Amino acid sequence: MTRVMNFSAGPAALPQAVLERARDELLDFRGSGMSVMEMSHRGKPFMAVAEKAEHDLRKLMNIPEDYSVLFLQGGATGQFAAIPMNLANGQGMDYVDTGAWSGKAIKEAQKYGPVNIVASSQASGYDSIPDRATWNLDPNAAFVHYTPNETIGGVEFPDIPEVGDVPLVADMSSTILSRPIDVSKFGVIYAGAQKNIGPAGLTVVIVRNDLLKRERGAVPAVLDWALQAENDSMYNTPPTFGWYLAGLVFEWLLDQGGLEAMAEVNQRKATKLYQYIDNSAFYRNPVEPSARSWMNVPFILADDALDGTFLNEADAAGLSSLKGHRSVGGMRASIYNAVPESAVDTLIEFMADFENRHA
Ligand SMILES: Cc1ncc(COP(=O)(O)O)c(C=O)c1O
């Protein structure tokens, strides 16, 4: 068996130790005589899995008690609709436009009520974060939504924007668990699992409990946060395997030393890759340095006619999934928690060798 170095943007690399444990537990889950996928979500063995996962996520992220943690289906895209439906009830909503994913969130929200785009980096090709001083916030908005890390553009907010008393809602799909964050600064945090949490099919929503009491119109049951919170995310059948695997990832993260330890490694990985790119005349990263993502590093080759050769040679060297998103082209290395620092070192060595041979 050969496992490649996987730079996929999502679904993405999972820690090998987690996969090995899942393999070992697959056929007979902890003495139950069945796999975790084959048992009732309401039985004791799965309830223990569910509770431990939530407990460990709360510990990792230091989630205050007055927040609910939901384990849902429907992806971050499902939440693009759930957010206006649970929070706005037709009221105006503030959105920051920083690229492809915030754009999709905006488009979905527009179906449910008036959207005010408070700031946009579109004019500069989404290569930066709009200066907070220029944001046109509405103090009466139902919430302010932003995308802390734009997975496609590789653009990341360096810190949490200050928005006063209006609840801040964040799509953390591609940055959650990459470093410690102050959860108390947010009204809602949500993330599709398939980058830093676990397999696709699970969506994590962390919501401050007072926001569950807002007046709302009709909300589909599966997207109704209050209903799901009342039912411990089991109003309907939850994504049990994803929830279980996420729990294994949370245990692995705690074993690594938690999010402070992950942040140190992640910052080191990103810094060395950007440094290499910046010092090369052959590769270029288009993002303003203050807004560069720790998780998704796009880069373009001086001659895009070499893109295919680069990708083929990278694949042959065991470096997988480096192709940039189809909407922007070029390359992208996604270096989530489960991508070891040694894989980034190997990538840099490969890039240097490729540059020597083709520049
Ligand atoms: C930042 C961000 N938001 C939203 C999504 C969409 O998530 P999903 O496919 O889980 O709906 C993605 C997808 O990869 C993403 O990176």
Side-chain angles (χ1 to χ4, degrees):
M1 182 191 71
T2 315
R3 289 198 31 100
V4 296
M5 285 163 268
N6 181 0
F7 297 95
S8 173
L14 285 163
Q16 183 154 331
V18 165
L19 296 175
E20 284 166 356
R21 191 162 158 206
R23 177 199 59 199
D24 293 345
E25 293 183 337
L26 191 66
L27 294 186
D28 178 8
F29 179 69
R30 300 176 195 171
S32 66
M34 62 178 88
S35 80
V36 73
M37 287 178 278
E38 299 169 292
M39 58 180 55
S40 166
H41 53 294
R42 300 191 194 281
K44 255 196 191 152
F46 189 78
M47 291 295 278
V49 167
E51 279 163 22
K52 172 105 177 24
E54 177 175 339
H55 172 269
D56 286 350
L57 181 60
R58 284 185 177 275
K59 188 165 162 188
L60 273 171
M61 294 183 69
N62 199 15
I63 300 173
E65 291 220 338
D66 60 328
Y67 283 72
S68 295
V69 179
L70 308 177
F71 291 84
L72 307 177
Q73 307 194 41
T77 304
Q79 295 305 313
F80 291 168
I83 290 156
M85 286 196 280
N86 280 276
L87 294 180
N89 201 24
Q91 205 182 337
M93 305 170 273
D94 279 357
Y95 276 76
V96 187
D97 172 32
T98 49
W101 289 113
S102 50
K104 284 200 166 168
I106 289 166
K107 207 165 160 217
E108 190 69 6
Q110 281 167 335
K111 295 178 186 170
Y112 302 100
V115 168
N116 169 34
I117 297 178
V118 300
S120 173
S121 51
Q122 186 183 20
S124 62
Y126 295 118
D127 66 348
S128 55
I129 299 298
D131 183 353
R132 170 66 191 82
T134 66
W135 296 15
N136 177 28
L137 290 171
D138 172 3
N140 297 313
F143 58 85
V144 184
H145 178 282
Y146 83 115
T147 311
N149 185 63
E150 287 280 1
T151 321
I152 294 173
V155 176
E156 183 157 19
F157 281 69
D159 40 42
I160 302 170
E162 193 51 62
V163 296
D165 291 336
V166 177
L168 185 60
V169 176
D171 173 2
M172 288 206 189
S173 295
S174 50
T175 185
I176 194 165
L177 301 176
S178 65
R179 74 201 75 185
I181 49 143
D182 182 354
V183 174
S184 73
K185 294 235 155 73
F186 296 88
V188 182
I189 291 168
Y190 67 103
Q194 63 273 20
K195 293 123 181 1
N196 264 343
I197 296 176
L202 169 72
T203 316
V204 172
V205 180
I206 301 165
V207 52
R208 207 175 62 217
N209 288 337
D210 62 293
L211 298 174
L212 299 175
K213 300 191 182 95
R214 284 202 171 175
E215 201 175 305
R216 296 148 327 143
V219 181
V222 291
L223 295 180
D224 184 331
W225 297 336
L227 186 68
Q228 290 286 11
E230 268 166 40
N231 289 279
D232 297 323
S233 306
M234 294 194 189
Y235 179 76
N236 67 320
T237 312
T240 51
F241 187 75
W243 196 335
Y244 154 74
L245 211 89
L248 297 188
V249 171
F250 302 154
E251 277 184 38
W252 178 80
L253 287 168
L254 288 167
D255 285 348
Q256 304 304 301
L259 301 190
E260 282 88 3
M262 293 319 296
E264 242 177 68
V265 181
N266 286 330
Q267 185 171 30
R268 226 172 33 232
K269 278 154 52 184
T271 301
K272 63 169 83 166
L273 186 49
Y274 286 117
Q275 257 171 14
Y276 172 70
I277 292 169
D278 286 346
N279 288 332
S280 143
F282 187 76
Y283 303 101
R284 194 171 74 79
N285 168 276
V287 179
E288 192 182 278
S290 65
R292 284 175 169 176
S293 168
W294 285 13
M295 295 283 105
N296 311 98
V297 181
F299 55 93
I300 40 189
L301 275 55
D303 176 4
D304 63 10
L306 287 168
D307 284 2
T309 314
F310 181 91
L311 289 166
N312 288 339
E313 289 191 14
D315 260 333
L319 299 156
S320 171
S321 311
L322 285 163
K323 194 173 197 301
H325 190 269
R326 61 186 184 281
S327 61
V328 292
M331 308 300 153
R332 172 178 48 171
S334 293
I335 48 176
Y336 299 119
N337 284 340
V339 176
E341 189 168 356
S342 59
V344 176
D345 293 335
T346 307
L347 172 63
I348 293 171
E349 282 163 27
F350 170 80
M351 289 168 71
D353 178 55
F354 189 88
E355 176 174 0
N356 280 338
R357 287 184 291 110
H358 293 280

